[in-house]
Amino acid sequence: MKTLANKVALVTGSARGLGRAIAERYAALGASVVLNYYRDQAAADEVLRTVQALGVPAIAVQADMSRVADIERLFAEAQRAYGRLDIVVANAGVELVDLPATDFTEAQFDHLFSLNAKGTYFTLQQGARAVADNGRLLYVASSTTAFPAPGMAVYGGSKTPGRYLIDVLAKELGPRGITANSIIPYATAGAGIFTEGHSSVEYLIVANPMGRLATVADVANVAEFFASDLASFVSGQHLLVNGGANL
């Protein structure tokens, strides 16, 4: 069913991984899509072709989501193309793992916080300004924000502020019927550091009650729910997509 027909969705960091899966899911449900990429135009063009093959309008916009001017330009181009936005997904982010809290540098801190915290804040701010009444704001967080872990001080810390902003937006935008929610994925095969595998994969599989990593489809399923009419009264929530794991 084309449950998102006549809707427009903007997904940051959608040239690969979770962002790509969410954008393609929304397109399959009938939404027009605004893709975003940073450097890899070839990957973005591939996603653009896939989305357009589903029979929906789509554009791909290069923008560095750590730069406020680029974020503003992305939203302006989306508005010029479609005249409205109904769904905004703040997904763009960068990972840094296996780094003890005693060892990170100022440059590493600034790099992660400029995209994961600052970029998310200003993306959601632009989304709050642009999204239509009864629209949807989503933030793709990380399970490290729910379960602090060794080696994740900077990464988990940089992904935490977005969750707080979601709580605030749920309250501020509720009168307009707009929902704001977070998706908190487990380690996900085919996304981030797990795109090509990682030394911790076997441990994470064994530690999960379901005996596997998350998939990009698992996360897209939740993004579909939050974007749908079924979630019209679900806001300010942070949904773990982790198979019952405690890490």
Side-chain angles (χ1 to χ4, degrees), residues 66-114:
S66 69
R67 296 174 57 86
V68 175
D70 277 23
I71 295 170
E72 292 173 344
R73 177 173 54 80
L74 170 64
F75 277 83
E77 293 194 30
Q79 292 280 18
R80 278 196 295 271
Y82 298 113
R84 63 179 289 126
L85 282 170
D86 301 283
I87 304 160
V88 173
V89 182
N91 166 74
V94 63
E95 291 173 288
L96 180 65
V97 302
D98 302 327
L99 181 66
T102 53
D103 294 351
F104 66 82
T105 66
E106 181 179 7
Q108 289 170 323
F109 180 95
D110 288 346
H111 178 54
L112 264 71
F113 272 78
S114 68

Coordinates of all heavy atoms in Angstrom, one line a residue, residues 66-114:
S66 N 27.4 19.1 8.9 CA 28.0 19.8 10.1 C 28.1 21.3 9.9 O 28.5 22.0 10.8 CB 29.4 19.2 10.3 OG 30.3 19.6 9.3
R67 N 27.6 21.8 8.7 CA 27.7 23.2 8.4 C 26.2 23.7 8.3 O 25.4 23.3 7.5 CB 28.4 23.4 7.1 CG 29.9 23.1 7.1 CD 30.5 23.2 5.7 NE 30.3 24.5 5.2 CZ 31.2 25.5 5.4 NH1 32.2 25.3 6.2 NH2 31.0 26.7 4.9
V68 N 26.0 24.7 9.2 CA 24.6 25.3 9.2 C 24.1 25.8 7.9 O 23.0 25.6 7.5 CB 24.5 26.3 10.3 CG1 23.1 27.0 10.3 CG2 24.8 25.7 11.7
A69 N 25.0 26.5 7.2 CA 24.7 27.1 5.9 C 24.3 26.0 4.9 O 23.3 26.2 4.1 CB 25.8 27.9 5.3
D70 N 25.0 24.8 4.9 CA 24.6 23.7 4.1 C 23.3 23.1 4.5 O 22.5 22.7 3.6 CB 25.7 22.6 4.1 CG 26.9 22.9 3.2 OD1 27.1 24.1 2.9 OD2 27.6 22.0 2.8
I71 N 23.0 23.0 5.8 CA 21.7 22.5 6.2 C 20.6 23.4 5.7 O 19.6 22.9 5.2 CB 21.7 22.4 7.8 CG1 22.7 21.3 8.2 CG2 20.3 22.0 8.3 CD1 23.0 21.3 9.7
E72 N 20.8 24.7 5.9 CA 19.7 25.6 5.4 C 19.5 25.5 3.9 O 18.4 25.6 3.4 CB 20.1 27.1 5.8 CG 20.1 27.3 7.3 CD 20.7 28.6 7.7 OE1 21.4 29.3 6.9 OE2 20.5 29.1 8.9
R73 N 20.6 25.4 3.2 CA 20.5 25.2 1.7 C 19.8 23.9 1.3 O 19.0 23.9 0.4 CB 21.9 25.3 1.1 CG 21.9 25.0 -0.4 CD 23.3 25.2 -1.0 NE 24.3 24.4 -0.4 CZ 24.5 23.1 -0.7 NH1 23.7 22.5 -1.5 NH2 25.5 22.5 0.0
L74 N 20.1 22.9 2.0 CA 19.4 21.6 1.8 C 17.9 21.8 1.9 O 17.1 21.3 1.1 CB 19.9 20.5 2.7 CG 19.1 19.2 2.8 CD1 19.2 18.5 1.5 CD2 19.6 18.3 3.9
F75 N 17.4 22.4 3.0 CA 16.0 22.6 3.2 C 15.4 23.5 2.2 O 14.3 23.3 1.7 CB 15.7 23.0 4.6 CG 15.7 21.9 5.6 CD1 16.9 21.4 6.2 CD2 14.5 21.3 6.0 CE1 16.8 20.3 7.1 CE2 14.4 20.3 6.9 CZ 15.6 19.8 7.4
A76 N 16.2 24.6 1.8 CA 15.7 25.5 0.8 C 15.5 24.8 -0.5 O 14.5 25.0 -1.2 CB 16.6 26.7 0.7
E77 N 16.4 23.9 -0.9 CA 16.3 23.2 -2.2 C 15.1 22.2 -2.1 O 14.4 22.0 -3.1 CB 17.6 22.5 -2.5 CG 18.7 23.4 -2.8 CD 19.9 22.8 -3.5 OE1 19.7 21.7 -4.2 OE2 21.0 23.3 -3.3
A78 N 14.9 21.6 -1.0 CA 13.7 20.7 -0.8 C 12.4 21.5 -1.0 O 11.5 21.0 -1.7 CB 13.8 20.0 0.5
Q79 N 12.4 22.6 -0.4 CA 11.2 23.5 -0.5 C 10.9 23.9 -1.9 O 9.8 24.0 -2.4 CB 11.2 24.7 0.5 CG 11.2 24.3 2.0 CD 9.8 24.0 2.5 OE1 8.9 23.8 1.7 NE2 9.6 24.1 3.8
R80 N 12.0 24.3 -2.6 CA 11.9 24.7 -4.0 C 11.4 23.6 -4.9 O 10.6 23.8 -5.8 CB 13.2 25.3 -4.5 CG 13.5 26.7 -4.1 CD 14.6 27.3 -5.0 NE 15.9 26.6 -4.8 CZ 16.8 26.9 -3.8 NH1 16.5 28.0 -3.0 NH2 17.9 26.3 -3.7
A81 N 11.9 22.4 -4.6 CA 11.5 21.3 -5.4 C 10.1 20.8 -5.2 O 9.4 20.5 -6.2 CB 12.4 20.1 -5.2
Y82 N 9.6 20.9 -4.0 CA 8.3 20.2 -3.6 C 7.3 21.2 -3.0 O 6.1 20.9 -2.9 CB 8.5 19.0 -2.7 CG 9.3 17.9 -3.4 CD1 10.6 17.6 -2.9 CD2 8.9 17.3 -4.5 CE1 11.4 16.6 -3.5 CE2 9.6 16.3 -5.1 CZ 10.9 16.0 -4.6 OH 11.6 15.0 -5.2
G83 N 7.8 22.3 -2.4 CA 6.9 23.2 -1.8 C 6.4 22.9 -0.4 O 5.6 23.6 0.2
R84 N 6.8 21.7 0.1 CA 6.4 21.2 1.4 C 7.3 20.1 1.9 O 8.1 19.5 1.1 CB 5.0 20.7 1.4 CG 4.8 19.5 0.5 CD 3.3 19.0 0.6 NE 3.0 18.4 1.9 CZ 1.9 18.8 2.6 NH1 1.1 19.8 2.2 NH2 1.6 18.2 3.7
L85 N 7.3 19.9 3.2 CA 8.0 18.7 3.8 C 7.0 18.1 4.8 O 6.4 18.8 5.6 CB 9.3 19.1 4.4 CG 10.5 19.3 3.5 CD1 11.7 19.9 4.3 CD2 10.9 18.0 2.9
D86 N 6.9 16.8 4.8 CA 6.1 16.1 5.8 C 6.8 15.3 6.7 O 6.4 15.0 7.9 CB 5.1 15.2 5.0 CG 4.2 16.0 4.0 OD1 3.3 16.7 4.5 OD2 4.5 16.0 2.8
I87 N 8.0 14.8 6.3 CA 8.8 13.9 7.1 C 10.3 14.3 7.0 O 10.8 14.5 5.9 CB 8.7 12.4 6.7 CG1 7.2 12.0 6.6 CG2 9.5 11.5 7.5 CD1 7.0 10.8 5.7
V88 N 10.9 14.5 8.2 CA 12.4 14.8 8.2 C 13.1 13.8 9.1 O 12.7 13.6 10.3 CB 12.6 16.2 8.7 CG1 14.1 16.5 8.9 CG2 12.0 17.3 7.7
V89 N 14.1 13.2 8.5 CA 14.9 12.2 9.3 C 16.3 12.7 9.4 O 17.0 12.8 8.4 CB 14.8 10.8 8.6 CG1 15.6 9.8 9.4 CG2 13.4 10.3 8.4
A90 N 16.7 13.0 10.7 CA 18.1 13.4 10.9 C 18.9 12.1 11.2 O 18.9 11.5 12.3 CB 18.1 14.3 12.2
N91 N 19.6 11.7 10.1 CA 20.3 10.4 10.2 C 21.8 10.6 10.0 O 22.6 9.8 10.6 CB 19.8 9.5 9.1 CG 20.7 8.3 8.8 OD1 20.8 7.3 9.6 ND2 21.5 8.3 7.8
A92 N 22.3 11.6 9.4 CA 23.7 11.8 9.1 C 24.5 11.8 10.4 O 24.2 12.4 11.4 CB 23.9 13.1 8.3
G93 N 25.6 11.0 10.3 CA 26.4 10.9 11.5 C 27.7 10.2 11.2 O 27.9 9.7 10.1
V94 N 28.7 10.3 12.1 CA 30.0 9.6 12.0 C 30.3 8.9 13.3 O 29.9 9.3 14.4 CB 31.1 10.7 11.7 CG1 31.2 11.7 12.8 CG2 32.4 10.0 11.3
E95 N 31.0 7.7 13.1 CA 31.3 6.9 14.3 C 32.7 7.0 14.6 O 33.6 7.2 13.8 CB 30.9 5.4 13.9 CG 29.4 5.2 13.8 CD 29.1 3.8 13.3 OE1 29.4 3.5 12.2 OE2 28.7 3.0 14.2
L96 N 33.0 6.7 15.9 CA 34.4 6.6 16.4 C 34.3 5.7 17.6 O 33.7 6.0 18.6 CB 34.9 8.0 16.9 CG 36.4 8.0 17.4 CD1 37.3 7.5 16.3 CD2 36.7 9.3 18.0
V97 N 34.9 4.5 17.5 CA 34.7 3.5 18.5 C 36.1 3.0 19.0 O 37.1 3.4 18.4 CB 33.9 2.3 18.0 CG1 32.6 2.7 17.5 CG2 34.7 1.6 16.8
D98 N 36.1 2.2 20.1 CA 37.3 1.6 20.6 C 38.3 2.7 21.0 O 39.5 2.5 20.9 CB 37.9 0.6 19.6 CG 37.0 -0.5 19.2 OD1 36.2 -0.9 20.0 OD2 37.0 -0.9 18.0
L99 N 37.8 3.8 21.5 CA 38.7 4.9 21.9 C 38.5 5.2 23.4 O 37.4 5.8 23.8 CB 38.5 6.1 21.1 CG 39.4 7.3 21.4 CD1 40.8 7.0 21.0 CD2 38.9 8.6 20.6
P100 N 39.4 4.9 24.3 CA 39.2 5.1 25.7 C 39.0 6.6 26.0 O 39.5 7.5 25.3 CB 40.5 4.6 26.4 CG 41.0 3.6 25.4 CD 40.7 4.1 24.0
A101 N 38.3 6.9 27.1 CA 38.0 8.3 27.5 C 39.2 9.1 27.8 O 39.2 10.3 27.7 CB 37.0 8.3 28.6
T102 N 40.3 8.4 28.1 CA 41.6 9.1 28.4 C 42.4 9.4 27.2 O 43.4 10.2 27.3 CB 42.5 8.1 29.3 OG1 42.6 6.9 28.6 CG2 41.8 7.9 30.7
D103 N 41.9 9.0 26.0 CA 42.8 9.1 24.8 C 42.3 10.0 23.7 O 43.0 10.3 22.8 CB 43.0 7.7 24.2 CG 43.8 6.8 25.1 OD1 44.3 7.3 26.2 OD2 43.9 5.6 24.8
F104 N 41.0 10.4 23.8 CA 40.5 11.2 22.6 C 41.1 12.6 22.6 O 41.5 13.1 23.6 CB 39.0 11.2 22.6 CG 38.3 12.0 23.7 CD1 38.2 13.4 23.7 CD2 37.8 11.3 24.8 CE1 37.6 14.1 24.7 CE2 37.2 12.0 25.9 CZ 37.1 13.4 25.8
T105 N 41.2 13.1 21.4 CA 41.8 14.4 21.2 C 40.7 15.5 21.0 O 39.6 15.2 20.7 CB 42.7 14.4 19.9 OG1 41.9 14.2 18.8 CG2 43.8 13.3 20.0
E106 N 41.1 16.7 21.0 CA 40.2 17.8 20.8 C 39.7 17.8 19.3 O 38.5 18.0 19.1 CB 40.9 19.2 21.0 CG 40.0 20.4 20.8 CD 40.7 21.7 21.0 OE1 41.9 21.7 21.3 OE2 40.0 22.7 21.0
A107 N 40.6 17.4 18.4 CA 40.1 17.3 17.0 C 39.1 16.2 16.8 O 38.1 16.4 16.1 CB 41.3 17.1 16.1
Q108 N 39.3 15.1 17.5 CA 38.3 14.0 17.4 C 36.9 14.4 18.0 O 35.9 14.2 17.4 CB 38.8 12.8 18.1 CG 39.9 12.1 17.3 CD 40.6 11.0 18.1 OE1 40.8 11.1 19.3 NE2 41.0 9.9 17.4
F109 N 37.0 15.1 19.2 CA 35.8 15.6 19.8 C 35.1 16.6 18.9 O 33.9 16.4 18.7 CB 36.2 16.3 21.1 CG 35.0 16.8 21.9 CD1 34.4 16.1 22.9 CD2 34.5 18.1 21.6 CE1 33.3 16.6 23.6 CE2 33.5 18.6 22.3 CZ 32.9 17.8 23.3
D110 N 35.8 17.5 18.4 CA 35.1 18.5 17.5 C 34.5 17.9 16.3 O 33.4 18.3 15.9 CB 36.2 19.6 17.1 CG 36.5 20.5 18.3 OD1 35.8 20.5 19.3 OD2 37.5 21.3 18.2
H111 N 35.2 17.0 15.7 CA 34.7 16.3 14.5 C 33.4 15.6 14.7 O 32.4 15.8 14.0 CB 35.7 15.3 14.0 CG 35.3 14.6 12.7 ND1 34.9 15.2 11.6 CD2 35.2 13.2 12.5 CE1 34.6 14.3 10.7 NE2 34.8 13.1 11.2
L112 N 33.3 14.8 15.8 CA 32.1 14.1 16.1 C 31.0 15.0 16.5 O 29.8 14.9 16.1 CB 32.3 13.0 17.1 CG 32.6 11.6 16.5 CD1 34.0 11.6 15.8 CD2 32.5 10.5 17.5
F113 N 31.3 15.9 17.4 CA 30.2 16.8 17.9 C 29.7 17.8 16.9 O 28.5 18.1 16.9 CB 30.7 17.5 19.2 CG 30.4 16.8 20.4 CD1 31.2 15.7 20.8 CD2 29.3 17.0 21.3 CE1 31.0 15.0 21.9 CE2 29.1 16.3 22.4 CZ 29.9 15.3 22.8
S114 N 30.6 18.1 15.9 CA 30.1 19.1 14.9 C 29.0 18.4 14.0 O 28.1 19.1 13.5 CB 31.3 19.5 14.0 OG 31.8 18.5 13.2

